[in-house]
Amino acid sequence: MNVAASQADSTSGDPLLQPFRLKGLTLRNRVVSTSHASMLDEGGLPLERYQLYHEEKARGGLAMTMAGGSAMTSPDSSWGGGQLDLSSDRIVPHLQSLSQRIHRHGAAVMCQVSHLGRRATAYAGNWLPPVAPSRVRETRNRNFPKEMDPADIDRIVRDYASAAKRCRDGGLDGIETVTGGHLIGQFLSRRTNRRMDGFGGSLENRARFGLMVHEAIRQAVGDDFAVGIRFVIDEAVDDGSDFEECLAFARLFEREGHIDFFNCIFGRMDTELSLAEQNMPGMFTRSAPFLPLVGQFKRETRLPVIHAAAIRDVATARHAIRENLVDLIGMTRAHIADPHIVNKLMRGEEDRIRPCVGASYCLYKKVQCVHNPASGHETIISHTIAGTETQKRVVVVGGGPGGMEAARVAAERGHKVCLLEAGARLGGQVLVAASAVDRKNLIGIVDWRVDELARLGVDVRLNTYADAGVVLAEKPDAVIVATGGVPDMEWLEGAEHCDSVWDVLTGVVPAKDDVLIYDETGRQAAISCALHLARLGRVVSLAIADDTVAIETPYPDRVSFRKLASELGIRVVCDMRLVKAAGQDNGIAARFRHELTGAETEMTAAQLIVERGTAPMEDTYQELRARSANNGVTDIALMTGTKTKGGPHAAGSFVLHRIGDAVASRDIYSSIYEAYRLCSQL
């Protein structure tokens, strides 16, 4: 039987894999990655790491990748870094290189072309004042803009056209502009456009700037180049444009005939909360929240429609295409998790797609996925794990995310792998994190690896405490200790009176009615516990050492945690460091020292829950060190990729490494990234 033909037959009816004609462009399927600021540029240019990041998605089979989130048309459209700079010709050769790389894999590439308007900053980049239709300050950006005069309008219209032409000269297949919180959208919306001239007031006047921009773009790029708008279909605020007004704007743009598609988005982006809940929905937002409204928009307009907002899984994407809610579906963050989604579909391997778990880690610092270490690091590590000619016996101790990844990667290399886990389930601290309802999707990190370990034939032994004797009995060539950590409580005087977040979230220790939680990490654990207990009806206070809640989390999570804490009546006390706990007849007294003033104060509660990260569980590692060939020392050069493989060691001995929280308290991504870097070189 022809396997390739069989796979083709099994996928030929998949709506996601059907071709689509956009302008003069034939797209090979319906799956795209929409524009976003990856923060991988170098001085505004898409150099090697930027290009490789997009090329991997093209290699993975999607129809089109869109570069340049908020790419600058003009020198006064900078937010301070992380944008492509389309304001001069210096970018053209780099766009040519990018487009050649994408095209050789059969995919198309477009770029977002935009002016930020009031979203720009006066205090970085070119240090130019932001401009806007009116002097209305954005809450999130905080800058006060200059009201645009006719010279500003004419200049920026020309800049849009020049930027679009540079994209065409760079070999790209099209561009999109942006309404929403960007300059065109600032003219459209009554919230930000208070002008009394020909660019303000009536719907037609507010649309005039955007229509001028698109007419100039079309004149610059010609009729055969695809031009679209990332278009807000409802601002979802009383003084903004509702669905009907946005639909009227859309029909104006259609009537003028200078655009070829709508890329539909919802809501605003002028506050952190609106950005997190509407424009770029994060962990606390349900899957595909705006898809029904996008479908209604498509029924009432005539141009092709793209949409991307929390489309995290293939089933949802397939539904959107099958039901004709959209023409092209954007799976942008899903492709950060797995850039090979389409190829896996075509091979009949849908169950092997690494899931997007909605952790928002890709919005933390730069493009990176909480459980795909290669995304955003394509110049350092590969998405494809190379095989080895020399099979080794690898023992991994600990089945948390780092240990599972170590076992997976070592097995992909071709080694014989044994994974020893003391508990009854794989997952480690992820199991604790996923027990909080807001973070339940994190379990996908575990489930995907459980399936991969089974596929790879890894010898997984649960309920197995691995001391040195158990490990050595396996006669290993390499040992990876990924035993994680335990809640760090030893530093605290009176720790015996306290409970850990782990104990309470997992139900090992029941929560009392009046709870005080102390957080010294700024991560998700303590605030997740606080929300969990507040929903159960407990009276919850949260004392933190930082000046804001969840400071070590992506901004969508940070603002959503704060909102939920307020809604649930959680009392938050900032800048407090816990120094002592003592038992009382009616509960616990906690002594705090103010971080700024040094003044001490006491808070009481029936229960004190402490979160200060973890202390390494290193007994097995320490037992094995003296018997290992490398004394348990991991060469930093090996971890940073400047050394291609480990050095030789004596016959009959083994090399020993430890990773993740078994080294120091960090996060899921750090453990997985460390495991991948190390074990891909074993």
Side-chain angles (χ1 to χ4, degrees):
M1 181 179 180
N2 187 310
V3 175
S6 175
Q7 291 174 342
D9 290 343
S10 68
T11 60
S12 60
D14 191 334
L16 292 176
L17 300 181
Q18 306 311 306
F20 184 77
R21 187 80 172 170
L22 181 65
K23 191 68 173 178
L25 188 65
T26 299
L27 300 175
R28 57 185 174 181
N29 55 64
R30 303 298 186 92
V31 181
V32 303
S33 173
T34 54
S35 299
H36 54 288
S38 66
M39 312 302 286
L40 297 176
D41 67 287
E42 297 175 52
L45 298 177
L47 304 186
E48 186 75 2
R49 64 177 183 170
Y50 194 103
Q51 294 180 28
L52 288 178
Y53 165 69
H54 282 280
E55 184 181 8
E56 193 66 36
K57 291 183 281 188
R59 181 183 288 113
L62 54 53
M64 176 172 66
T65 186
M66 303 177 81
S70 304
M72 295 167 52
T73 60
S74 312
D76 54 357
S77 181
S78 172
W79 63 40
Q83 303 158 265
L84 292 190
D85 182 3
L86 297 170
S87 67
S88 75
D89 290 342
R90 72 188 183 115
I91 198 169
V92 172
H94 304 292
L95 292 178
Q96 290 171 342
S97 178
L98 171 64
S99 60
Q100 289 167 8
R101 280 181 143 151
I102 302 303
H103 289 155
R104 71 187 179 201
H105 297 291
V109 57
M110 293 191 187
C111 184
Q112 188 176 100
V113 175
S114 189
H115 194 294
L116 292 171
R118 69 176 188 154
R119 301 200 78 217
T121 180
Y123 306 114
N126 294 307
W127 286 73
L128 295 170
V131 297
S134 304
R135 289 189 300 105
V136 181
R137 175 179 178 263
E138 181 183 280
T139 301
R140 185 170 192 266
N141 177 59
R142 306 184 65 83
N143 284 256
F144 289 93
K146 170 198 174 188
E147 183 172 304
M148 294 169 66
D149 60 26
D152 293 318
I153 291 173
D154 290 344
R155 169 179 62 86
I156 292 174
V157 168
R158 290 194 303 270
D159 287 347
Y160 266 100
S162 297
K165 187 175 185 302
R166 291 183 184 107
C167 290
R168 174 161 191 144
D169 292 345
L172 274 61
D173 301 290
I175 59 108
E176 68 171 10
T177 60
V178 191
T179 64
H182 291 223
L183 186 56
I184 295 174
Q186 291 163 29
F187 271 95
L188 295 179
S189 177
R190 287 168 294 182
R191 303 183 72 244
T192 47
N193 185 345
R194 300 176 183 175
R195 301 174 74 100
M196 303 299 291
D197 60 5
F199 292 91
S202 69
L203 185 143
E204 290 77 9
N205 281 357
R206 284 180 282 134
R208 180 165 285 115
F209 175 76
L211 294 173
M212 289 170 60
V213 164
H214 286 90
E215 182 179 12
I217 287 174
R218 183 57 71 193
Q219 290 175 353
V221 301
D223 292 334
D224 59 345
F225 191 67
V227 177
I229 311 178
R230 184 173 293 199
F231 190 81
V232 170
I233 61 173
D234 191 332
E235 283 196 290
V237 65
D238 289 342
D239 60 346
S241 298
D242 61 12
F243 179 79
E244 291 302 322
E245 184 165 271
C246 289
L247 192 59
F249 281 129
R251 287 168 176 158
L252 270 179
F253 281 104
E254 285 186 328
R255 186 185 71 194
E256 291 299 308
H258 298 309
I259 65 168
D260 304 305
F261 65 88
F262 291 109
N263 183 355
C264 293
I265 54 176
F266 178 91
R268 297 173 293 122
M269 60 178 76
D270 55 0
T271 67
E272 285 213 338
L273 185 62
S274 62
L275 196 63
E277 292 185 342
Q278 299 174 351
N279 194 261
M280 297 171 61
M283 178 174 68
F284 297 89
T285 307
R286 63 182 173 83
S287 174
F290 314 124
L291 196 51
L293 192 63
V294 171
Q296 183 180 343
F297 178 88
K298 176 173 165 53
R299 289 191 295 273
E300 300 194 41
T301 51
R302 60 180 176 79
L303 290 175
V305 167
I306 304 172
H307 176 59
I311 312 295
R312 300 178 182 127
D313 62 275
V314 167
T316 301
R318 187 177 287 121
H319 164 76
I321 298 295
R322 179 183 288 125
E323 299 302 316
N324 200 31
L325 302 176
V326 297
D327 297 292
L328 299 169
I329 192 71
M331 301 187 71
T332 308
R333 279 180 271 184
H335 271 84
I336 300 173
D338 192 337
H340 295 170
I341 290 172
V342 173
N343 280 351
K344 288 179 179 178
L345 285 177
M346 294 182 70
R347 294 196 300 262
E349 298 177 354
E350 184 172 338
D351 58 342
R352 290 202 58 215
I353 294 172
R354 186 192 315 250
C356 172
V357 297
S360 301
Y361 204 84
C362 49
L363 301 174
Y364 190 22
K365 295 176 180 176
K366 66 179 183 68
V367 159
Q368 51 194 18
C369 173
V370 72
H371 73 129
N372 183 350
S375 280
H377 292 103
E378 284 82 6
T379 58
I380 302 170
I381 55 180
S382 172
H383 286 265
T384 304
I385 299 167
T388 180
E389 295 180 358
T390 306
Q391 187 185 68
K392 298 176 183 176
R393 174 68 170 166
V394 178
V395 175
V396 179
V397 184
M404 296 177 75
E405 181 72 353
R408 183 189 76 86
V409 175
E412 286 276 15
R413 290 271 287 151
H415 298 308
K416 187 175 182 181
V417 182
C418 175
L419 173 58
L420 308 175
E421 163 56 36
R425 293 178 62 191
L426 295 175
Q429 292 181 49
V430 176
L431 300 179
V432 180
S435 65
V437 64
D438 298 310
R439 306 182 72 204
K440 62 183 179 181
N441 289 338
L442 292 178
I443 200 64
I445 296 171
V446 177
D447 292 345
W448 182 76
R449 284 174 173 77
V450 167
D451 291 344
E452 287 294 288
L453 295 180
R455 179 185 68 83
L456 292 164
V458 172
D459 179 9
V460 177
R461 303 179 199 172
L462 302 175
N463 299 306
T464 302
Y465 179 79
D467 59 15
V470 171
V471 172
L472 293 174
E474 298 298 319
K475 296 182 170 51
D477 298 301
V479 178
I480 312 298
V481 174
T483 43
V486 292
D488 187 4
M489 307 279 276
E490 294 181 358
W491 57 277
L492 177 63
E493 181 181 349
E496 66 275 14
H497 302 293
C498 305
D499 298 310
S500 74
V501 165
W502 292 20
D503 289 337
V504 176
L505 276 179
T506 57
V508 172
V509 173
K512 297 184 179 178
D513 291 334
D514 175 25
V515 177
L516 172 59
I517 301 174
Y518 173 65
D519 181 27
E520 199 174 312
T521 69
R523 301 175 189 168
Q524 294 96 336
I527 183 63
S528 294
C529 183
L531 297 176
H532 172 70
L533 296 184
R535 289 180 176 123
L536 293 177
R538 309 301 196 265
V539 176
V540 180
S541 297
L542 176 65
I544 63 175
D546 299 305
D547 60 1
T548 191
V549 170
I551 197 169
E552 279 191 34
T553 65
Y555 69 82
D557 297 357
R558 190 164 58 242
V559 68
S560 298
F561 277 131
R562 285 166 43 212
K563 176 185 177 181
L564 289 168
S566 296
E567 289 177 340
L568 292 168
I570 296 171
R571 177 193 176 207
V572 179
V573 183
C574 303
D575 297 314
M576 290 293 188
R577 187 172 297 274
L578 181 63
V579 294
K580 181 180 179 181
Q584 291 185 337
D585 291 341
N586 59 345
I588 296 175
R591 172 69 57 176
F592 291 92
R593 182 176 297 118
H594 196 279
E595 285 284 88
L596 305 181
T597 68
E600 294 197 355
T601 187
E602 188 172 276
M603 298 173 65
T604 60
Q607 186 176 27
L608 177 58
I609 301 169
V610 175
E611 169 59 22
R612 195 175 179 257
T614 58
M617 293 180 63
E618 56 182 358
D619 289 353
T620 301
Y621 169 77
Q622 295 297 350
E623 289 175 6
L624 290 168
R625 286 195 69 171
R627 306 187 195 192
S628 69
N630 62 335
N631 194 33
V633 175
T634 302
D635 191 336
I636 293 294
L638 186 67
M639 296 302 293
T640 57
T642 54
K643 184 176 182 179
T644 58
K645 61 181 180 179
H649 56 88
S653 64
F654 62 93
V655 291
L656 173 67
H657 304 279
R658 61 172 170 165
I659 59 174
D661 283 7
V663 180
S665 180
R666 287 169 288 170
D667 61 10
I668 295 170
Y669 177 79
S670 298
S671 297
I672 291 175
Y673 185 34
E674 202 161 71
Y676 192 101
R677 287 195 295 180
L678 175 66
C679 293
S680 61
Q681 300 181 76
L682 280 181

